[in-house]
Amino acid sequence: MKPLKIAMMSMTHGHTRKYYQVLKENPKLDWVAVSTANDEVKQVFLDKVSGIPCYDSDEAMLDAHPEIEAVVLASENSDHLRQVKLCAERGIHILSMKIPTFDMAEYDEMERLVKENDIIFQIELELHYNPTVVRMKELAAGVGQMRSFQATNVTLSPVWAFPWQGQPEASYGKRVPLKEGDPRFRGGALCDHPHIFDMIREVTDSEFDTIFAKVGPNIREDLEEEDMLTVIGKMKNGVIFSLDPSWSKKENKLKVPGPGWEIFPKRMEVNITISGDGGTLMTDCFGPNVYENGNPEEKYIVRYTYFDEWVGLVDEFVDNIRFHRTPKIHLARHRGTIAAINACYESIATGKPVKL
Amino acid sequence: MELQKYLDLLVEKYDLPRGAALSGKTLAVGGKTVPLLPWRSERRFIELKNLVHDGTLEGVSAVRISHIAPKGTSLDEMLYKELDVCRWVLDDEIKEIATFRNGATSNTVAETKSGVICTIELAATLAAGTPIVDKHEITARVGVACDRAVDTQVPQSSTYFYTDSPTPVTYTDVDFELYGLNVSDVSTVRCAQAVLADEALADAFIEADKTLTALVALSAKSAGCGENLKAGDAQ
């Protein structure tokens, strides 16, 4: 199969560096170029990767490389629609970060552009390509009549390394207060953690019925978005749920992620517990690992042994393009996840459960 | 045969040399039979090696290994593996070895050329079918690294499935491309892949096998004579 000529845009997203290895090593890909949103991320990229042409604007890159067939939009959420237009009008396929947009009018526009230009638009929800999650899906039916789904998707806050995630306009798309009298705005931890909202829809084979969410006081005083929240509710098939999408693991304020980033020993955790009449299934999607207390701070931390989700994700993307297949996570499929996150914000604002 | 099927998938995807035959723990390729060292492709050991060499740990002093296996497991095979874990993770060579054995148990202290002391505690005493209980801990002037979490005695799993039995069924899945294989089989296939991707590895593994075989023999000699022996004393 002819290698797919692929490029990356912006390089401001926290997942940018996850693509370096797979874009270089996957024989199905020919990594053509990148465009960077600013000098800072350009330098970070050049420090890590050599031999890939780097441009200062998306347009300059696309004009210089008409051979580009697909692009990874490694950008802040507020830039996605502009880049989708740029790519779609040129017939370039898109691998989008996990949040295409929270604005449903923009979402409609993206769907129109994708359909009219007949391109593949895949959304990066990499958890589906984690082998422990594959096991969980296989075993889930074994709990019998499913009753409850509980999940954490908790991390440190990436805002010091990826500042746009701390800016409500760039993360949520606009400045919307969390609730009356609250100085904080939408765009924080909830916008960073759609995975468990997506996963429950697949595992229960159902859609959200009712959602109730509450924010706690921030554990980071210098953040103008939410970092601690909890979500409970019910799916349309009756399964109840409890979801924790917080930034509950503290971090040092590094400009570039690396050793010494975490304060809590484990940077990121996705644990899922599914209970039914026939039993309980417990899954730690990112464990066990290796543990150390070496440099730079001699603090006890988790050293992850597995972060290969992007291997399977990119394999699927290439096959979707070559065989013109609908991605597992596409815009229509993902709409219910975005709606659920917006419902959480509505519940936080009103103090009441939201019926979907 | 099943492992061969998984290896063939990787050969196809990554365009590796064809025609290699994976059998047990050896790979027949290019007219050579290469003894595989699968633990070198196991993520926890790769990460421990990274920690030793990427500046996270400084000044390694000691390695402590505990390995408890089901009854009937060969202590020599267990020692072969653990000695190689020490050599490979530290990128060092064993210069002295002392072993005491009693029934299906064995305790060994091996010293590397750079002076790191490696304690290897072995037992083949578990009921048949019991998963291996092991632990690898590296202590340095700066930092400790371990493949087991603090406050745990037995390996943790990714998945615990509680149904009718009080004891859960457990799973640890570590490789999306090789999904369905257990950790040990994943390591074997990845090790074979590594040999196919890097021609020089075949000869390196053959040499390592000779060294390890000699060290295991030296350990047996030590257990018999009660002496601390230097590498080269086996002949």
Side-chain angles (χ1 to χ4, degrees), chain A residues 38-269:
Chain A
N38 56 58
D39 289 344
E40 207 167 326
V41 294
K42 182 178 183 178
Q43 196 53 52
V44 171
F45 173 73
L46 293 175
D47 287 346
K48 284 280 182 191
V49 180
S50 57
I52 305 295
C54 181
Y55 294 84
D56 292 332
S57 84
D58 302 334
E59 290 85 348
M61 177 180 74
L62 295 179
D63 290 346
H65 295 279
E67 74 273 25
I68 291 172
E69 298 175 87
V71 161
V72 179
L73 300 188
S75 51
E76 53 259 55
N77 298 340
S78 58
D79 225 9
H80 286 168
L81 179 58
R82 179 187 67 77
Q83 292 176 326
V84 170
K85 281 180 185 164
L86 264 182
C87 294
E89 286 163 0
R90 288 170 167 80
I92 294 172
H93 306 288
I94 294 169
L95 181 52
S96 165
M97 295 296 103
K98 52 199 170 188
I99 303 296
T101 176
F102 286 110
D103 182 315
M104 299 324 284
E106 284 191 1
Y107 207 95
D108 292 342
E109 175 69 355
M110 286 183 187
E111 283 198 298
R112 185 189 66 75
L113 286 163
V114 169
K115 190 176 177 189
E116 286 183 0
N117 292 283
D118 194 25
I119 59 168
I120 300 297
F121 189 101
Q122 182 172 324
I123 298 159
E124 183 215 57
L125 288 181
E126 71 277 8
L127 206 55
H128 290 285
Y129 311 90
N130 173 302
T132 300
V133 169
V134 176
R135 177 73 64 186
M136 179 194 73
K137 291 179 191 175
E138 272 186 17
L139 296 176
V143 303
Q145 174 71 49
M146 196 182 295
R147 297 294 182 182
S148 180
F149 179 104
Q150 296 144 357
T152 60
N153 182 4
V154 291
T155 64
L156 43 65
S157 174
V159 298
W160 322 111
F162 309 102
W164 67 269
Q165 290 195 261
Q167 299 159 5
E169 295 86 348
S171 178
Y172 187 70
K174 53 193 165 189
R175 188 166 281 261
V176 181
L178 277 183
K179 56 185 175 182
E180 196 175 333
D182 194 308
R184 295 169 296 174
F185 298 89
R186 298 181 181 184
L190 181 55
C191 294
D192 196 27
H193 295 150
H195 303 281
I196 47 179
F197 292 88
D198 163 76
M199 195 58 66
I200 187 175
R201 295 174 61 215
E202 174 163 343
V203 172
T204 62
D205 193 22
S206 186
E207 294 296 331
F208 288 96
D209 178 82
T210 312
I211 287 182
F212 180 65
K214 263 189 178 297
V215 288
N218 274 13
I219 60 174
R220 296 167 188 79
E221 291 177 352
D222 42 2
L223 198 65
E224 60 173 347
E225 301 162 334
E226 81 284 355
D227 66 6
M228 294 294 299
L229 71 155
T230 190
V231 182
I232 59 170
K234 190 172 70 173
M235 303 301 282
K236 293 203 183 294
N237 67 355
V239 174
I240 61 169
F241 60 81
S242 172
L243 308 176
D244 182 352
S246 298
W247 283 334
S248 53
K249 309 305 177 197
K250 292 288 287 287
E251 68 288 326
N252 288 310
K253 297 178 180 179
L254 300 192
K255 293 286 283 180
V256 179
W261 198 13
E262 60 279 271
I263 290 177
F264 184 82
K266 194 170 185 179
R267 292 180 186 182
M268 185 267 299
E269 168 193 292

Side-chain angles (χ1 to χ4, degrees), chain A residues 273-329:
Chain A
T273 300
I274 300 170
S275 294
D277 293 347
T280 289
L281 175 63
M282 301 176 70
T283 300
D284 176 356
C285 302
F286 297 97
N289 289 289
V290 165
Y291 312 87
E292 51 101 348
N293 74 324
N295 284 316
E297 295 182 319
E298 296 192 61
K299 284 192 317 198
Y300 186 77
I301 65 159
V302 170
R303 176 86 159 218
Y304 291 92
T305 54
Y306 191 88
F307 258 130
D308 285 2
E309 287 75 14
W310 281 264
V311 173
L313 177 111
V314 168
D315 276 349
E316 194 215 317
F317 183 52
V318 175
D319 287 351
N320 289 337
I321 292 169
R322 291 293 180 236
F323 303 113
H324 207 70
R325 291 177 185 152
T326 302
K328 178 176 178 59
I329 309 298

Side-chain angles (χ1 to χ4, degrees), chain A residues 27 129 131-132 135 138-139 279-280 282-284 287-288 290-295 300 303 305-306 308 311 315, chain B residues 13 43 47 51 54-56 58 142-146 148-150 156 158-160 162 171 173-177 179:
Chain A
Y129 311 90
T132 300
R135 177 73 64 186
E138 272 186 17
L139 296 176
T280 289
M282 301 176 70
T283 300
D284 176 356
V290 165
Y291 312 87
E292 51 101 348
N293 74 324
N295 284 316
Y300 186 77
R303 176 86 159 218
T305 54
Y306 191 88
D308 285 2
V311 173
D315 276 349
Chain B
K13 178 174 178 183
R43 298 296 183 106
E47 214 49 55
L51 289 164
D54 70 4
T56 305
E58 281 180 35
V142 175
V144 173
C146 188
R148 302 298 172 214
V150 65
Q156 304 297 293
S158 301
T159 303
Y160 296 83
Y162 293 86
Y171 303 86
D173 296 290
V174 296
D175 196 316
F176 187 78
E177 287 182 312
Y179 180 74

